[in-house]
Amino acid sequence: MWRWIRQQLGFDPPHQSDTRTIYIANRFPLNGLYTPQKFIDNRIISSKLMIDTPTSPITSGLPLFFVITVTAIKQGYEDWLRHISDNEVNAAPVYVVRSGGLVKTRSRNIRVGDIVRVAKDEVFPADLVLLSSDRLDGSCHITTASLDGETNLKTHVAVPETAVLQTVANLDTLIAVIECQQPEADLYRFMGRMIITQQMEEIVRPLGPESLLLRGARLKNTKEIFGVAVYTGMETKMALNYKSKSQKRSAVEKSMNTFLIIYLIILISEAIISTILKYTWQAEEKWDEPWYNQKTEHQRNSSKILKFISDFLAFLVLYNFIIPISLYVTVEMQKFLGSFFIGWDLDLYHEESDQKAHVNTSDLNEELGQVEYVFTDKTGTLTENEMQFRECSINGVKYQEMNGRLVSEGPTPDSLEGNSSYFSSISHLATSSSFRTSPENDTELIKEHDLFFKAVSLCHTVQISSVQTDGIGDGPWQSNFASSQLEYYASSPDEKALVEAAARFGIVFIGNSEETMEVKTLGKLERYKLLHILEFDSDRRRMSVIVQAPSGEKLLFAKGAESSILPQCIGGEIEKTRIHVDEFALKGLRTLCMAYRRFTSKEYEEIDRRLFEARTALQQREEKLADVFQFIEKDLILLGATAVEDKLQDKVRETIEALRMAGIKVWVLTGDKHETAVSVSLSCGHFHRTMNILELINQKSDSECAEKLRQLARRITEDHVIQHGLVVDGTSLSLALREHEKLFMEVCRNCSAVLCCRMAPLQKAKVIRLIKISPEKPITLAVGDGANDVSMIQEAHVGIGIMGKEGRQAARNSDYAIARFKFLSKLLFVHGHFYYIRIATLVQYFFYKNVCFITPQFLYQFYCLFSQQTLYDSVYLTLYNICFTSLPILIYSLLEQHIDPHVLQNKPTLYRDISKNRQLSMKTFLYWTILGFSHAFIFFFGSYFLIGKDTSLLGNGQMFGNWTFGTLVFTVMVITVTAKMALETHFWTWINHLVTWGSILFYFIFSLFYGGILWPFLGSQNMYFVFIELLSSGSAWFAIILMVVTCLFLDIVKKVFDRQLHPTNIEKAQLTETNSSIKCLDSMCCFSEGETACASVGRMLERVIGRCSPTHVSRSWSASDPFYTNDRSILTLSTMDSSTC
């Protein structure tokens, strides 16, 4: 009972078996001893069905309701869209085999064990184990682009016993059971077995990833297939990969919370002060119980403590508007609406791939302007991930491809002229006759080269569309038509490049038919029986195939990294090949080694038996397979190595240089080998030729690693080199992160660029985590394009996914997705800069205007004996933040451009001005707060001195009352805070004009209607005719104008002197923009050429509001310029002497 209760509460989840048993077509045993397992429905549920809000219970009334309502509507709308999308998927029509026929039903009705028919180009509705297809061998082709972005065709095969069941009638006779593992998220891992009962005999067949058709994948080049559902609904691998990302909070949000705590302290302090002063005032009997306000007997006998608490809470309610609750709504709307500008930016649109930028998380827009570290993948992120074959090493001789020919770089082993001519002209051979006329002493050498390219053509997972291969196997093959006749699809661009290269040199992979692989060798068709595939995995770092040659000989061809192939070799030119591989890597080429092994009949029988046992095991299958693979892939004969080039993306060097100039440190995290990674880092500008490159590689122990780190730290302090670069490999990094984190971080912080090679995906995330938790707490950004980059993208403060050729998993799990690395510069320098400035001003302005709003209310209590009388009408209290002052700041936060975008992108150093959250520093926050208090004092005491002594300001002798006084204060306040927003605006559009001046106009119109009509639904109307009487007084108009000018004048003077005496980089850059209305006198050359602060008041005022720009005037940045000392190459303009002005 206790366990059941704990299970219901979620503390003790029920025990689950490691495997599940599935009866195909749900034919359960009839002996009555079987209890059917329960499986979930085939429904996808992505809606959250919840509302969360950041509001505080201390808020009150309509503003709180408005905040919750807007948040609920926004999240409810997003949730509704997810719900609609779910329904479209769950209600999709499918065909299921039931009762000997095909039944049309909905996707949500599929049950585990159902046999489902899927036609060509349809999406699999659940995770299916393939039973049969329209092909005799039971194979089918699928594409998993929606899951991992790989557009290649992948081949999946059925077990032989079910492959022949190609009709519904035949499938209805199938009696089989599937035993497989419980659901897990890994797309590429599946273990199970099928037990088929035929003629009272049980046949056991292993099931692996090649048998599983994943939900979301699409059937291609196959008419139809039948499969049995093993995982449905939220248990499918696609659904299990719906990762609920950890909530990322920007630095601005953290600053907002800090400021909110400060204002909460101010609120409580004001409430406490008011409560204490109230009781101090009431200590005198005449104020405690005046003649016009006698207490009741109950009030006299009530508890003093309860009365004190009651008064304290009353003051809290009175002053609570100082907490800008509507700030949260405005910020949320600003982030949501502002995120559309990234998708609309045509500069972030990639025309070739027809891809625009995507925003997956709008909460981090402003974080794009705070990045201090960029961590980037190499392949597919910095490079194109389009591989081109360049060189190879065969039997210790290097060759390179030149104009479609394979040419030896040096003398062949026997300096054979015939051999050289053969490899120079092989790509132009039309028939095999010319090949056969080679000298006899070339035969052995030619066989070695044939074997090398046959290994390349057979050891892969490349697929060819069956439509495109029709007719290729007939007649003599012409090698120069290979590219036009064949189109290969591969999950790895390396494999595709190698197979295409082999085709150009005379060994053409034709495709798979049933269990054979067809290859044309100089026009002669050869069929190799595919016996086994030893799949690639990250631990072995190699893949192998076992084939039977036409002669009956059984061969193993292996391909992988040199670190995984060379140690397994016992023959071949190992040392020469190792040297060639290092030379290839120094050129930035990606290398693979090829090897082979011959099996005797007895050896193959042993291998076949052990593979079958390992693949049918349900427990520890992966460990058993690893042991068998290790047993098979040994005693290899080395054939040679290949080298392919991955070209850099466009403008990668310029982008990395711009990031460095912006003060951003760039780290490259890659799985490539050391030499290749260093070469690419040099070519892309990550490392400079003049940079001192430090290395932390091949460390074997903790002590060795620690000593090496200390040596590097000493070298950095002793070397008189401005910039250092660090190279570290995965093994050494593991040792460094284990016990020497601080020492490692010290070395890294003193390096301008860091390159980590041979990195595992989790190591990438650990490196970013290490930087994030360092004492400086820098803002990190990760860029990647593959599934192996997802962990680091999710770990970083901001994750950027590149929509490249390695899939869409990185783009889907990222916060922002772009098509090319070069777009990162505009994303950070322009959008990040704008978003940060906008939201920083928004936050400060909200606190400022709420201080202006509630401080007069606090001051008013000194003149009403702290009776908790409100200064403003309740309608004004409610609408101040919702209507009267909300739109100008919202439009500002969406459209403001304080400097031209081209200037921001061309001058990356301007990014430094906003780094480390400088616009929301405590100094800036205190300035805005003090400014708010000073304006509030002017509002209150200006109005008080105007009507406090002489209240008969109306022509008819009528007197102003307390509501008139409060309305005067409120009117001055609305005009002032709106005009203050206008002063902060640099980029004016018709929308800005409409909402800025329209807000003031709306306040006047609303007040006239609200106070000019007796509204029947209002119980009391304190404001009746108050506003009209106020505006009828000329003295009131004079007071409004005088107080508004006084408030803004103080701010203008402060801005003038700051811009003249301490101009920032941004303020100086604002003056480089072109504006035809400004004369040469206002050009930047006059800014710091000895002109005094009072030389031109008019020009100063124009500079204050940011509209002062030179007319087609340019100025070069000299070496003595204190602001731009290292980016003179960005702005190379003609100089202008100050005398010209």
Side-chain angles (χ1 to χ4, degrees):
M1 182 66 180
W2 174 244
R3 165 176 278 188
W4 181 86
I5 294 174
R6 288 181 58 84
Q7 289 178 1
Q8 302 308 308
L9 295 175
F11 296 117
D12 190 11
H15 174 72
Q16 286 190 339
S17 171
D18 291 335
T19 62
R20 57 169 53 187
T21 302
I22 302 163
Y23 288 81
I24 296 181
N26 291 303
R27 295 189 181 91
F28 304 119
L30 302 177
N31 54 19
L33 299 178
Y34 173 73
T35 302
Q37 291 178 284
K38 293 183 179 180
F39 305 111
I40 67 173
D41 293 335
N42 190 39
R43 297 172 184 261
I44 293 295
I45 303 173
S46 58
S47 55
K48 295 186 296 185
L49 300 177
M50 60 181 292
I51 296 173
D52 59 297
T53 173
T55 57
S56 168
I58 64 171
T59 58
S60 60
L62 186 59
L64 172 60
F65 176 76
F66 179 72
V67 168
I68 297 176
T69 302
V70 171
T71 305
I73 290 174
K74 174 181 175 291
Q75 295 188 0
Y77 172 71
E78 294 176 351
D79 202 57
W80 177 74
L81 292 179
R82 285 189 288 266
H83 181 67
I84 294 298
S85 177
D86 291 344
N87 275 345
E88 290 179 0
V89 174
N90 296 330
V94 295
Y95 286 92
V96 179
V97 177
R98 288 178 184 164
S99 303
L102 275 180
V103 178
K104 186 176 181 180
T105 183
R106 300 292 182 184
S107 174
R108 58 173 169 261
N109 298 326
I110 295 177
R111 298 172 298 174
V112 171
D114 280 346
I115 299 176
V116 182
R117 191 204 77 167
V118 180
K120 182 180 178 181
D121 292 328
E122 289 183 352
V123 175
F124 300 115
D127 287 353
L128 310 175
V129 167
L130 180 61
L131 295 178
S132 64
S133 71
D134 62 321
R135 301 180 181 183
L136 294 177
D137 60 350
S139 66
C140 70
H141 296 301
I142 71 169
T143 175
T144 57
S146 61
L147 297 176
D148 54 16
E150 295 179 359
T151 57
N152 62 294
L153 294 180
K154 297 179 179 177
T155 302
H156 287 247
V157 292
V159 298
E161 286 73 18
T162 65
V164 296
L165 307 177
Q166 297 180 311
T167 64
V168 175
N170 290 337
L171 286 169
D172 196 45
T173 64
L174 175 64
I175 301 176
V177 177
I178 293 176
E179 295 178 354
C180 61
Q181 63 187 143
Q182 292 292 354
E184 66 173 12
D186 192 340
L187 295 176
Y188 310 106
R189 187 172 182 268
F190 176 71
M191 290 189 297
R193 63 184 176 186
M194 184 183 295
I195 305 172
I196 306 159
T197 303
Q198 288 184 350
Q199 300 176 353
M200 304 301 292
E201 181 182 353
E202 290 188 347
I203 302 173
V204 180
R205 291 294 184 185
L207 299 175
E210 72 283 351
S211 304
L212 187 66
L213 308 173
L214 299 180
R215 177 172 190 158
R218 189 179 297 272
L219 183 66
K220 305 291 288 186
N221 289 348
T222 308
K223 184 178 179 182
E224 66 176 10
I225 64 98
F226 290 93
V228 58
V230 290
Y231 304 128
T232 56
M234 297 305 291
E235 289 184 341
T236 59
K237 290 183 179 290
M238 181 185 75
L240 292 175
N241 276 275
Y242 291 162
K243 296 186 178 179
S244 54
K245 304 177 198 173
S246 58
Q247 185 66 30
K248 294 182 179 182
R249 296 173 56 210
S250 68
V252 170
E253 289 181 358
K254 296 174 184 176
S255 298
M256 283 171 54
N257 293 338
T258 303
F259 300 158
L260 195 63
I261 291 173
I262 294 175
Y263 270 63
L264 190 58
I265 294 173
I266 294 175
L267 169 63
I268 296 174
S269 302
E270 288 182 346
I272 292 175
I273 291 172
S274 298
T275 307
I276 293 174
L277 289 178
K278 176 179 180 177
Y279 281 89
T280 302
W281 211 301
Q282 291 178 353
E284 298 183 37
E285 186 175 351
K286 65 176 182 178
W287 297 122
D288 181 40
E289 194 173 350
W291 60 269
Y292 55 84
N293 190 19
Q294 296 291 316
K295 292 182 179 180
T296 63
E297 193 64 28
H298 176 72
Q299 289 175 330
R300 292 192 185 99
N301 297 329
S302 61
S303 170
K304 299 289 185 182
I305 296 177
L306 291 178
K307 191 69 173 70
F308 184 91
I309 295 175
S310 175
D311 286 331
F312 171 73
L313 294 178
F315 280 118
L316 277 182
V317 173
L318 187 64
Y319 301 149
N320 81 85
F321 289 93
I322 197 173
I323 304 295
I325 297 304
S326 56
L327 168 64
Y328 290 101
V329 175
T330 308
V331 166
E332 198 159 343
M333 292 176 65
Q334 187 267 349
K335 290 183 176 182
F336 176 71
L337 298 175
S339 62
F340 288 102
F341 290 105
I342 293 179
W344 293 338
D345 191 344
L346 293 179
D347 289 338
L348 301 182
Y349 170 73
H350 190 245
E351 189 172 359
E352 293 178 13
S353 59
D354 190 27
Q355 292 171 337
K356 64 179 183 178
H358 293 282
V359 178
N360 300 325
T361 306
S362 61
D363 292 337
L364 301 173
N365 292 342
E366 65 275 10
E367 206 79 332
L368 293 171
Q370 297 296 296
V371 175
E372 299 174 61
Y373 281 83
V374 168
F375 299 89
T376 175
D377 179 39
K378 182 183 74 67
T379 304
T381 304
L382 300 179
T383 62
E384 289 284 1
N385 203 15
E386 289 183 356
M387 309 301 175
Q388 293 183 352
F389 179 86
R390 292 302 183 201
E391 299 184 52
C392 64
S393 172
I394 305 175
N395 196 32
V397 180
K398 264 204 306 187
Y399 299 90
Q400 68 181 61
E401 184 179 9
M402 298 179 63
N403 299 323
R405 301 185 177 199
L406 197 62
V407 179
S408 170
E409 288 191 359
T412 59
D414 299 317
S415 299
L416 299 173
E417 188 67 28
N419 176 65
S420 179
S421 63
Y422 163 69
F423 283 102
S424 297
S425 59
I426 187 171
S427 64
H428 297 279
L429 244 55
T431 64
S432 59
S433 58
S434 59
F435 165 71
R436 300 305 175 195
T437 59
S438 300
E440 291 184 4
N441 56 354
D442 291 350
T443 303
E444 189 64 31
L445 189 60
I446 293 173
K447 285 183 179 179
E448 293 174 355
H449 290 77
D450 276 351
L451 197 57
F452 174 84
F453 283 111
K454 284 180 181 177
V456 171
S457 298
L458 294 171
C459 186
H460 55 73
T461 57
V462 173
Q463 298 296 327
I464 307 174
S465 175
S466 58
V467 177
Q468 293 170 315
T469 58
D470 291 345
I472 292 180
D474 303 328
W477 172 78
Q478 303 292 329
S479 62
N480 54 338
F481 295 113
S483 300
S484 60
Q485 289 185 339
L486 295 176
E487 185 173 355
Y488 296 112
Y489 297 89
S491 57
S492 167
D494 300 74
E495 286 193 336
K496 181 181 178 183
L498 292 177
V499 173
E500 288 175 343
R504 290 195 297 273
F505 303 139
I507 312 292
V508 187
F509 171 64
I510 299 300
N512 295 5
S513 60
E514 298 184 6
E515 295 181 354
T516 64
M517 300 181 74
E518 296 182 352
V519 174
K520 271 192 174 181
T521 305
L522 300 176
K524 180 181 179 183
L525 181 64
E526 298 179 357
R527 288 186 172 89
Y528 290 81
K529 185 176 182 180
L530 181 61
L531 302 175
H532 293 286
I533 298 177
L534 280 57
E535 297 83 1
F536 175 88
D537 63 64
S538 56
D539 295 329
R540 289 164 43 242
R541 298 183 65 84
R542 59 180 178 264
M543 74 157 292
S544 302
V545 294
I546 301 177
V547 297
Q548 181 176 321
S551 62
E553 188 179 27
K554 294 179 174 62
L555 300 169
L556 175 137
F557 292 113
K559 173 180 67 178
E562 85 288 347
S563 59
S564 63
I565 294 292
L566 296 184
Q568 307 298 325
C569 292
I570 60 172
E573 298 289 345
I574 298 176
E575 292 305 319
K576 289 183 179 180
T577 304
R578 193 192 306 273
I579 294 173
H580 292 165
V581 167
D582 291 339
E583 292 175 356
F584 296 153
L586 288 174
K587 297 177 183 178
L589 304 178
R590 295 164 61 91
T591 59
L592 289 172
C593 288
M594 311 295 302
Y596 79 103
R597 176 185 175 186
R598 290 185 170 92
F599 294 120
T600 63
S601 298
K602 186 176 181 180
E603 287 176 334
Y604 176 73
E605 290 175 2
E606 173 70 10
I607 288 171
D608 187 57
R609 181 185 62 80
R610 294 184 62 170
L611 277 173
F612 179 79
E613 292 176 354
R615 283 174 169 161
T616 54
L618 281 182
Q619 303 295 330
Q620 298 180 330
R621 178 186 293 186
E622 292 181 344
E623 292 81 358
K624 293 178 180 178
L625 280 174
D627 292 339
V628 176
F629 289 172
Q630 187 65 30
F631 172 75
I632 297 173
E633 295 170 328
K634 65 179 182 180
D635 300 335
L636 304 178
I637 305 299
L638 184 63
L639 289 171
T642 62
V644 296
E645 180 186 28
D646 190 4
K647 295 191 298 183
L648 285 176
Q649 288 187 16
D650 185 33
K651 294 186 178 179
V652 167
R653 175 182 285 274
E654 292 86 345
T655 303
I656 291 179
E657 183 63 27
L659 292 173
R660 185 177 288 114
M661 292 171 62
I664 299 173
K665 291 189 176 182
V666 181
W667 289 32
V668 175
L669 312 179
T670 178
D672 277 350
K673 63 177 299 184
H674 164 242
E675 293 83 1
T676 304
V678 171
S679 176
V680 173
S681 286
L682 287 168
S683 62
C684 72
H686 180 235
F687 284 165
H688 289 298
R689 298 289 177 183
T690 57
M691 188 179 289
N692 185 19
I693 306 299
L694 310 175
E695 292 187 346
L696 180 67
I697 58 176
N698 300 326
Q699 303 301 304
K700 304 299 183 183
S701 64
D702 285 337
S703 57
E704 183 182 350
C705 182
E707 179 59 30
K708 183 65 175 179
L709 283 170
R710 284 189 283 268
Q711 291 178 8
L712 295 178
R714 285 195 299 269
R715 282 189 59 184
I716 291 174
T717 55
E718 294 171 0
D719 289 351
H720 300 288
V721 179
I722 298 176
Q723 292 184 328
H724 297 272
L726 176 66
V727 182
V728 57
D729 61 8
T731 305
S732 304
L733 181 67
S734 299
L735 296 174
L737 297 183
R738 189 181 302 169
E739 295 181 2
H740 315 293
E741 285 187 3
K742 291 184 178 179
L743 189 56
F744 178 70
M745 279 303 302
E746 179 185 348
V747 173
C748 291
R749 278 196 297 267
N750 292 319
C751 293
S752 302
V754 178
L755 169 64
C756 300
C757 55
R758 291 299 193 200
M759 295 280 286
L762 287 180
Q763 282 185 314
K764 296 182 179 182
K766 286 181 180 178
V767 169
I768 296 178
R769 178 71 178 170
L770 179 66
I771 298 297
K772 283 175 61 178
I773 63 176
S774 62
E776 295 83 2
K777 298 290 189 297
I779 304 299
T780 59
L781 180 145
V783 193
D785 72 316
N788 61 327
D789 302 317
V790 170
S791 56
M792 77 168 183
I793 286 174
Q794 293 183 336
E795 181 63 45
H797 291 95
V798 183
I800 307 290
I802 302 292
M803 296 176 284
K805 298 179 177 61
E806 284 194 18
R808 292 293 184 272
Q809 200 161 350
R812 287 199 308 271
N813 287 275
S814 63
D815 303 307
Y816 303 89
I818 55 179
R820 287 293 183 269
F821 183 80
K822 66 179 180 180
F823 295 152
L824 189 63
S825 60
K826 184 165 189 184
L827 194 64
L828 298 184
F829 302 154
V830 179
H831 289 285
H833 196 115
F834 282 155
Y835 283 134
Y836 177 73
I837 291 294
R838 291 166 181 169
I839 201 168
T841 305
L842 183 151
V843 171
Q844 304 281 28
Y845 177 77
F846 253 93
F847 283 107
Y848 153 78
K849 71 186 183 76
N850 277 36
V851 168
C852 292
F853 180 40
I854 216 63
T855 302
Q857 179 75 72
F858 173 70
L859 297 175
Y860 184 59
Q861 297 306 303
F862 287 88
Y863 295 88
C864 66
L865 296 182
F866 296 93
S867 61
Q868 296 146 11
Q869 169 66 36
T870 178
L871 177 62
Y872 314 117
D873 182 74
S874 59
V875 173
Y876 285 165
L877 281 170
T878 302
L879 298 183
Y880 174 75
N881 278 319
I882 296 178
C883 296
F884 298 148
T885 61
S886 59
L887 282 180
I889 182 60
L890 177 61
I891 297 302
Y892 171 93
S893 65
L894 292 174
L895 304 179
E896 172 64 0
Q897 296 182 15
H898 63 295
I899 191 170
D900 190 88
H902 295 291
V903 176
L904 287 176
Q905 192 161 7
N906 291 332
K907 300 198 70 59
T909 49
L910 296 178
Y911 193 81
R912 301 182 185 221
D913 272 16
I914 63 170
S915 62
K916 300 187 182 298
N917 204 15
R918 292 181 184 177
Q919 301 298 318
L920 285 177
S921 64
M922 190 57 63
K923 178 181 176 182
T924 310
F925 167 72
L926 291 177
Y927 164 73
W928 279 88
T929 301
I930 294 172
L931 184 68
F933 277 115
S934 63
H935 286 183
F937 273 80
I938 294 174
F939 302 154
F940 183 83
F941 289 108
S943 302
Y944 175 76
F945 287 129
L946 175 67
I947 65 174
K949 304 298 183 183
D950 184 8
T951 57
S952 59
L953 295 178
L954 298 176
N956 57 7
Q958 289 182 340
M959 299 175 62
F960 280 169
N962 67 309
W963 294 114
T964 310
F965 174 74
T967 304
L968 177 61
V969 173
F970 193 84
T971 302
V972 176
M973 177 172 56
V974 169
I975 297 175
T976 302
V977 298
T978 305
K980 169 63 177 172
M981 189 72 262
L983 278 180
E984 295 297 321
T985 303
H986 300 84
F987 186 73
W988 284 91
T989 66
W990 66 268
I991 302 177
N992 293 87
H993 286 289
L994 177 65
V995 299
T996 301
W997 316 124
S999 293
I1000 298 176
L1001 183 63
F1002 172 76
Y1003 164 71
F1004 277 87
I1005 295 174
F1006 173 84
S1007 298
L1008 289 172
F1009 274 90
Y1010 173 61
I1013 301 175
L1014 284 172
W1015 300 99
F1017 53 84
L1018 294 177
S1020 61
Q1021 197 163 344
N1022 299 319
M1023 294 296 294
Y1024 179 68
F1025 233 64
V1026 169
F1027 194 72
I1028 297 175
E1029 290 289 352
L1030 176 66
L1031 297 186
S1032 66
S1033 170
S1035 301
W1037 279 104
F1038 174 76
I1040 292 172
I1041 296 173
L1042 181 63
M1043 285 186 283
V1044 170
V1045 171
T1046 303
C1047 290
L1048 298 180
F1049 180 76
L1050 296 176
D1051 192 34
I1052 290 174
V1053 170
K1054 193 258 183 191
K1055 286 180 175 290
V1056 166
F1057 280 97
D1058 278 351
R1059 284 178 176 260
Q1060 286 293 81
L1061 302 177
H1062 307 290
T1064 64
N1065 294 0
I1066 293 176
E1067 290 168 346
K1068 293 186 69 175
Q1070 284 172 344
L1071 300 174
T1072 65
E1073 300 178 41
T1074 302
N1075 190 323
S1076 59
S1077 63
I1078 306 298
K1079 298 179 181 180
C1080 171
L1081 190 62
D1082 296 298
S1083 68
M1084 189 172 178
C1085 65
C1086 300
F1087 201 102
S1088 57
E1089 293 291 337
E1091 190 175 48
T1092 61
C1094 301
S1096 176
V1097 175
R1099 183 162 67 257
M1100 291 178 188
L1101 293 178
E1102 286 179 327
R1103 285 176 183 149
V1104 167
I1105 57 178
R1107 291 189 277 272
C1108 176
S1109 302
T1111 307
H1112 306 293
V1113 173
S1114 305
R1115 174 179 183 262
S1116 66
W1117 302 96
S1118 64
S1120 61
D1121 195 306
F1123 296 98
Y1124 303 98
T1125 58
N1126 58 348
D1127 64 329
R1128 291 189 295 274
S1129 60
I1130 299 295
L1131 190 63
T1132 53
L1133 305 173
S1134 59
T1135 59
M1136 174 173 285
D1137 189 78
S1138 60
S1139 60
T1140 310
C1141 297

